[in-house]
Amino acid sequence: MDNLTLGELFLSGKRILTELEETALASIDPQYQAKVRDGLNRLERANQLVQVLAVFSSNEIVDDVNTEDLQYLLIPIFLGDLTLKVTDPNLKRRLILESAKNYFDTYLNMCEEYQLIRPEELRMYKNKQENAPVRLSAGQQRQQKIDQFKREKAVENQIKELRTRLDESTKEQSDWDDMERDLVLSTVQLYIIKALQHLTSVEQELVMVKEMEAMAEDRRRMPEQRTEQPDRRIPPPTWGRDKPLLSKEGRPLQPFVITNRREDIAKQVFRPGHSLPTMTIDQYLEQEEERGNIIRGGYSPPEKEEIDDNDHEALDADVMKKREWDEFVEANPKGWGNRGNKG
């Protein structure tokens, strides 16, 4: 890897990131994580070369940077994307999120320095840095997300169009360099939008991770074996059951009931809390019938008289009646006259 140039490191790291986004491997798969580490190593090496070679300078504007060097602005955002894909059980999730957040901040700060970030996006980023409270209503926030989505799609379409034009053109054409530079600048704009989205999700996850770590720390600080403490619970009242029934002189000390129904009382001790039925369903229905609450019998429709096969007039009349009914049904479909079957 030490023998690779800056351009080769950048392109290979970008290719690995693209493969990870399109692969069907799970994020916890060892092959997936091996690619993540390889991509991180390549892009971190490329980032070191950018700093050693002083590719970018605070004294320059974006027009002073050539097109080939301009694409190296994307190294921090690529590192942030790859960092979020790390799933190392030996590494705390909070450290991964904070590392990715630093990469996203670096990328947006460089875009701000070269005036590549739009005013509304810069305002949004500054609010995130200052933790300023959001004073937008739910409808305004929703409209903001819709506008961001539309802008993201517009930039993606612009990138596709530029790539198509570059594929159909040759380097000898006069507008080749302009199209290539526009492609890099459009890609930078696309990843500005994605960096802001990543920052929002990272900050939300950081809040949850820190709360989970605080809860785990509280549980860890608790002693493994709690010291026994005296039971401060108030005992239930005994209502005099702990006192003798009679005094030595034979006087009663608490109320009592004298009964000879010992077996009945014993049966009531283990009875259920709800009332048990006192009669069967048949007995209840007989009782209701005696009270006159049940009416038997009912109306049965008269049986239709069958038409004699030799009675031609009656047969013709029956056929005509059925035809008239069929014509009526066809002329008045189901739901007709009921406001178009709308209720």
Side-chain angles (χ1 to χ4, degrees):
M1 189 181 299
D2 294 336
N3 299 327
L4 297 178
T5 63
L6 175 58
E8 292 172 345
L9 290 170
F10 174 77
L11 292 177
S12 59
K14 180 181 178 181
R15 184 181 65 255
I16 291 174
L17 178 60
T18 304
E19 291 176 356
L20 290 173
E21 291 176 350
E22 296 176 353
T23 185
L25 294 174
S27 59
I28 59 175
D29 193 285
Q31 296 181 4
Y32 186 96
Q33 290 301 312
K35 284 189 175 182
V36 171
R37 289 191 296 270
D38 187 19
L40 283 172
N41 292 334
R42 291 173 182 273
L43 290 175
E44 285 174 355
R45 176 58 180 165
N47 196 30
Q48 294 174 358
L49 290 178
V50 168
Q51 297 176 0
V52 171
L53 299 176
V55 176
F56 303 109
S57 173
S58 58
N59 299 324
E60 295 178 335
I61 60 176
V62 66
D63 294 336
D64 297 334
V65 183
N66 60 61
T67 304
E68 184 179 358
D69 293 344
L70 193 60
Q71 63 181 347
Y72 301 141
L73 281 173
L74 299 169
I75 292 178
I77 185 71
F78 289 166
L79 284 170
D81 282 345
L82 286 172
T83 303
L84 288 179
K85 299 180 186 300
V86 175
T87 55
D88 189 352
N90 299 323
L91 190 62
K92 292 184 177 181
R93 181 63 179 173
R94 178 176 57 84
L95 299 178
I96 295 174
L97 294 173
E98 290 176 350
S99 177
K101 184 177 181 297
N102 291 333
Y103 284 128
F104 297 140
D105 287 332
T106 301
Y107 175 70
L108 291 173
N109 288 330
M110 292 177 65
C111 292
E112 178 188 0
E113 185 176 349
Y114 282 101
Q115 299 180 356
L116 293 173
I117 186 169
R118 301 172 67 204
E120 56 269 23
E121 294 169 342
L122 181 60
R123 191 183 313 112
M124 188 185 307
Y125 175 56
K126 292 300 181 183
N127 290 337
K128 292 181 182 295
Q129 283 185 318
E130 298 171 0
N131 292 326
V134 179
R135 294 184 175 87
L136 299 177
S137 63
Q140 290 174 334
Q141 293 181 19
R142 181 175 179 273
Q143 186 61 40
Q144 187 181 63
K145 291 181 180 179
I146 292 174
D147 294 339
Q148 290 177 355
F149 177 77
K150 289 181 177 179
R151 170 162 169 74
E152 181 178 359
K153 292 301 178 183
V155 176
E156 288 178 352
N157 293 333
Q158 184 179 2
I159 292 174
K160 291 180 181 178
E161 181 181 355
L162 288 170
R163 285 177 177 170
T164 303
R165 292 171 57 188
L166 284 172
D167 293 339
E168 296 175 352
S169 305
T170 58
K171 291 186 178 181
E172 287 75 15
Q173 294 183 0
S174 58
D175 58 346
W176 171 271
D177 294 337
D178 294 337
M179 288 191 296
E180 189 177 11
R181 190 174 185 84
D182 290 341
L183 177 61
V184 175
L185 291 174
S186 298
T187 306
V188 170
Q189 292 295 324
L190 177 62
Y191 278 98
I192 288 175
I193 300 172
K194 292 187 176 183
L196 292 172
Q197 295 173 353
H198 282 314
L199 279 178
T200 301
S201 61
V202 165
E203 289 171 358
Q204 293 174 351
E205 189 176 353
L206 270 175
V207 173
M208 294 186 292
V209 169
K210 289 179 180 179
E211 290 180 356
M212 292 175 63
E213 288 183 353
M215 294 171 61
E217 183 66 21
D218 292 340
R219 289 194 297 268
R220 189 185 63 82
R221 290 180 178 179
M222 291 182 180
E224 296 181 358
Q225 295 180 352
R226 297 181 179 179
T227 56
E228 296 184 359
Q229 298 180 357
D231 192 0
R232 298 179 180 178
R233 292 178 297 177
I234 300 176
T238 59
W239 307 110
R241 290 191 298 269
D242 56 339
K243 298 180 180 179
L245 187 63
L246 299 174
S247 65
K248 295 179 179 180
E249 291 81 10
R251 292 182 301 175
L253 299 179
Q254 54 180 310
F256 59 92
V257 178
I258 299 176
T259 179
N260 57 358
R261 296 185 299 109
R262 179 175 298 179
E263 293 182 359
D264 295 340
I265 295 175
K267 291 179 181 178
Q268 293 178 1
V269 172
F270 299 103
R271 67 180 296 175
H274 58 275
S275 299
L276 297 176
T278 58
M279 65 178 68
T280 63
I281 297 177
D282 294 335
Q283 292 173 348
Y284 171 74
L285 292 177
E286 290 176 359
Q287 186 179 15
E288 289 296 313
E289 187 177 7
E290 292 175 358
R291 293 176 181 176
N293 295 333
I294 297 178
I295 301 175
R296 293 186 178 276
Y299 171 77
S300 58
E303 296 182 0
K304 185 178 180 181
E305 297 181 359
E306 295 184 0
I307 302 175
D308 189 3
D309 295 340
N310 297 324
D311 191 354
H312 299 290
E313 293 181 359
L315 290 173
D316 293 341
D318 185 60
V319 172
M320 291 300 297
K321 185 178 179 180
K322 291 181 179 179
R323 287 180 180 176
E324 291 175 357
W325 175 250
D326 292 338
E327 291 175 358
F328 176 79
V329 171
E330 291 179 359
N332 299 274
K334 186 177 181 180
W336 188 265
N338 193 19
R339 295 179 63 241
N341 201 18
K342 294 182 180 177

